[in-house]
Amino acid sequence: MAAGKTAQAVEDRSKQSLKIYNKAGKLIVTGELGKGTAAITGLAAGTKVAAGDYKASFSDGTNESDKVDVPAFNVLPAEG
């Protein structure tokens, strides 16, 4: 490791789910336990989603992390 750099601890998310909220604060999807992912569905292909349109947090079912902005992304066309 380079001088002045420190290793960043990796959170154990094996007993947590990723939760996604819309701008109004409504929970729209909870990902599968331990996967660290969640799929936002129902958006049209080509939609440009701005940073902060969605918020994300992790939850173990009892405790929940602070919500953070989901970065901007573009919705890709469906495969198939």
Side-chain angles (χ1 to χ4, degrees), residues 11-49:
E11 292 282 335
D12 176 11
R13 304 284 188 201
S14 62
K15 295 183 174 128
Q16 297 179 335
S17 297
L18 181 63
K19 298 177 119 182
I20 305 292
Y21 296 83
N22 65 15
K23 274 198 226 185
K26 180 182 176 193
L27 178 65
I28 58 166
V29 66
T30 300
E32 190 176 333
L33 187 68
K35 295 290 184 184
T37 61
I40 300 170
T41 60
L43 301 175
T47 300
K48 294 178 188 254
V49 178

Side-chain angles (χ1 to χ4, degrees), residues 46-67:
T47 300
K48 294 178 188 254
V49 178
D53 278 358
Y54 294 95
K55 303 273 187 185
S57 67
F58 280 97
S59 175
D60 64 7
T62 302
N63 301 302
E64 188 169 351
S65 70
D66 291 337
K67 294 175 184 76

